[in-house]
Each structure stands twice: as structure tokens, then as C-alpha cells.
Amino acid sequence: MLMEAITQLLDVINGVQLFVRREDLLHPVISGNKYRKLKYTLAQIILDKRSSMLTFGGAHSNHILAAAYAANQNQLRAIGVIRGDELIDRSKWGPTLQRAHDFGMHFEFVSRTDYRNLKNDFNYWRQRFPEVAIVPEGGTSALAVKGCSEILSDKDECYDYVVCAVGTGGTLAGLSNARLRRPKILGVPVIKGDFLTEDIRKFAVNSNWELLNGYEFGGYGKITTALIAFMNTFYQKYQVPLDPVYTGKAMFAIDEKITQNYFPKGSKVLFIHTGGLQGILAMNTYLSQKNQTLIDGYV
């Protein structure tokens, strides 16, 4: 059930026009960049006549849920290599793992150390599961980047800047590869580390992109009261929900950069909402246990 990714003008702030492209509305389960990343990957798996796919992620991974659903819809067996062997105890599952399991995904739980060592050791997994097609963590591959390049089209030459959150870098590389002449592509990393630039260069054929660092809020999956307050104020004002891992941090960066006059007056800035809203439920469960303010916008 594919929907249209509508684009709307959110506001004009300090003379800057801020637009949002609602990629999160593409599909009720495989929303945003996960749909884009899986589009050609799944087509290739089916063309290769593979019966199953294996991929990697954490307990609240948007990619794991999207892969489980996509495999289910295409009559493929899904295997998820999940970070954290404590999750062998099913009582510790959150809503993401439960939903992925309901879609039929089989889990391989590994320790965090083994996960780091094995998530890129495809030969190890092929020996264990010879029949599988292996999809990298986060779904990023050349085929995924091809899918993400379709987020933009020639009509988007009207924008001066296009901004997205950056996890593994596949979406940013895809936006860059859309080969538009005008907009500068800006990525907001949600992971600490200097490795992202090289990862993006593996797939991005253009040099029309840049990273806006310093908005990790402590690291991947970390959140602060200031970020929650910003996200809730944003939702109350615009009725556009943001997730705490990706889009909340990216929009915080855009808002701050507008305030700092990073974007020249008269600029048109397009924010790509890459989905991930299912992560709000898990974060709110955690916040409620700490008696902290919950995140608005989850339906």
C-alpha cells in the first residue's frame, strides 16, 4: 500500500523557507528511507531466486522491522541477527522485535562484541545459512543507494539545500547521486565517529554534500530532555511527528542552523523525513519507566 510522499511548506523563519517531504507517509510499516532502501534489494533477491534474507540490527531497529515485513509480503524467510544476547529472554523484547517476530522473522541473538565482529563477516553467515541473501546493517548497499536517489527528482532543483539524518550514510549518498545541479545535500549524523565520510564516499559519486556534526546528543539512540522538549514543541506547532533517533536530531540541527543564520535569507530548505516513527513507542516505554516527559506524535 504505497502512498505519496507529500511535500509541504512548514514555515518561514528568519527569511528561510522550510519545507518537509513526508517520506514517513510512504507506507504504514516500511516507511521513509527503509522502503527506498529495500525496493531494489528485494527485487534482486527475488530475481536471484533466493528463498530467504538475513540482515542485522538492534532491538529497536527500523530496518529489522521493515525487512521482516517485506520478507513476509514476498514469501521469503527472514533472519535477523540482533545485537544483545540478553534478548534471548523474550520478556525483554520491545515492540519492534515483537512485531518483527509476528511477521515471521527468525532471530539470532549475539553479544555486542560478537555483533561488532560478525555483522560484516558475510562468509560466516553464508556458512551457517547457505541459501540466504545477506542485506547489510541498515540496508545500505549500492541497490539501496539507487532506491534513495529516487527521493529527489528534477522538480527539486528549486531548493537550495536538502537535509536528512545520517545513520549508515546510504540515504545521503542516494540524495547526492540524484545528480541535481542546485541543492547542497546536508546530512546530520546521529552516530559519533569520523568513519561516516569514508562510508558515504563508497557510494556517493558527487561531492555536493556535507555533514553537520555535533547533533548526536550523546550518541546513537541517546536522547536529552532538551531534544524531547524540542520535538514536542515542533509537533504541537506543525503536527509533524519526529522520531528520537534520527529525524528529531536532524530537525533540531536545521532549527539551530536557521537561528545561527547558516542558511542565507531567501533560501529554500527541504527536510527529508525518513520515517522511523515506530521507535517512539520503545523510547516512550523507557521514558515512562524513568518518570520523564514522553514524546508526542506516535499513533
Side-chain angles (χ1 to χ4, degrees):
M1 187 169 60
L2 188 62
M3 307 294 286
E4 182 182 358
I6 63 171
T7 302
Q8 61 190 95
L9 174 63
L10 278 186
D11 209 342
V12 180
I13 310 169
N14 286 359
V16 174
Q17 296 181 64
L18 176 59
F19 296 82
V20 61
R21 177 151 300 157
R22 298 293 304 275
E23 289 279 306
D24 59 303
L25 299 178
L26 276 178
H27 191 277
V29 179
I30 317 176
S31 70
N33 61 346
K34 299 310 176 189
Y35 173 84
R36 302 289 188 179
K37 287 183 174 183
L38 286 170
K39 177 181 176 180
Y40 292 110
T41 299
L42 277 170
Q44 188 63 52
I45 291 172
I46 293 168
L47 183 65
D48 291 342
K49 297 185 178 350
R50 297 283 187 173
S51 62
S52 57
M53 61 185 287
L54 180 147
T55 194
F56 309 83
H60 310 297
S61 165
N62 300 318
H63 170 66
I64 286 292
L65 178 59
Y69 177 86
N72 176 279
Q73 294 299 296
N74 288 278
Q75 292 78 52
L76 299 171
R77 182 187 183 216
I79 302 169
V81 179
I82 308 299
R83 182 178 60 247
D85 52 357
E86 74 278 2
L87 294 165
I88 293 173
D89 180 355
R90 187 167 176 171
S91 68
K92 296 181 179 179
W93 291 7
T96 301
L97 289 185
Q98 185 57 59
R99 291 186 72 194
H101 178 267
D102 291 344
F103 289 132
M105 178 173 271
H106 166 76
F107 298 131
E108 291 283 319
F109 297 107
V110 297
S111 70
R112 282 160 175 75
T113 299
D114 285 346
Y115 185 87
R116 284 193 300 271
N117 294 334
L118 295 174
K119 68 179 181 178
N120 295 315
D121 189 350
F122 291 0
N123 287 332
Y124 172 85
W125 295 108
R126 286 194 183 102
Q127 289 173 5
R128 290 202 58 195
F129 303 99
E131 78 286 359
V132 301
I134 297 179
V135 179
E137 181 184 43
T140 293
S141 66
L143 290 173
V145 170
K146 178 183 177 181
C148 289
S149 71
E150 296 177 352
I151 294 172
L152 298 178
S153 65
D154 291 346
K155 63 180 173 48
D156 296 315
E157 289 281 5
C158 64
Y159 300 106
D160 299 288
Y161 300 89
V162 175
V163 189
C164 72
V166 176
T168 55
T171 302
L172 179 65
L175 295 173
S176 174
N177 289 357
R179 298 179 181 272
L180 299 187
R181 177 181 48 82
R182 182 179 181 185
K184 180 72 173 284
I185 312 298
L186 301 176
V188 181
V190 300
I191 302 172
K192 287 184 174 181
D194 299 327
F195 58 90
L196 274 174
T197 297
E198 290 306 313
D199 285 352
I200 295 166
R201 284 175 179 161
K202 293 176 185 176
F203 298 107
V205 298
N206 298 320
S207 58
N208 59 341
W209 57 274
E210 181 180 327
L211 296 180
L212 301 178
N213 292 298
Y215 297 95
E216 302 88 0
F217 287 86
Y220 183 75
K222 301 294 180 62
I223 195 167
T224 67
T225 54
L227 181 59
I228 295 172
F230 169 80
M231 291 168 60
N232 286 347
T233 298
F234 185 89
Y235 179 73
Q236 290 158 15
K237 186 172 184 179
Y238 302 113
Q239 293 299 295
V240 175
L242 301 170
D243 85 284
V245 179
Y246 296 98
T247 55
K249 295 178 180 182
M251 185 54 74
F252 187 101
I254 293 171
D255 183 75
E256 184 167 275
K257 290 300 185 182
I258 291 176
T259 302
Q260 295 171 348
N261 296 314
Y262 175 91
F263 302 109
K265 290 187 184 302
S267 297
K268 292 184 176 182
V269 178
L270 175 64
F271 171 59
I272 306 298
H273 193 313
T274 48
L277 297 178
Q278 65 93 22
I280 295 176
L281 184 57
M283 184 61 75
N284 277 348
T285 300
Y286 169 80
L287 293 171
S288 67
Q289 292 169 351
K290 303 289 184 181
N291 293 318
Q292 296 180 13
T293 302
L294 302 184
I295 298 166
D296 294 338
Y298 181 78
V299 178

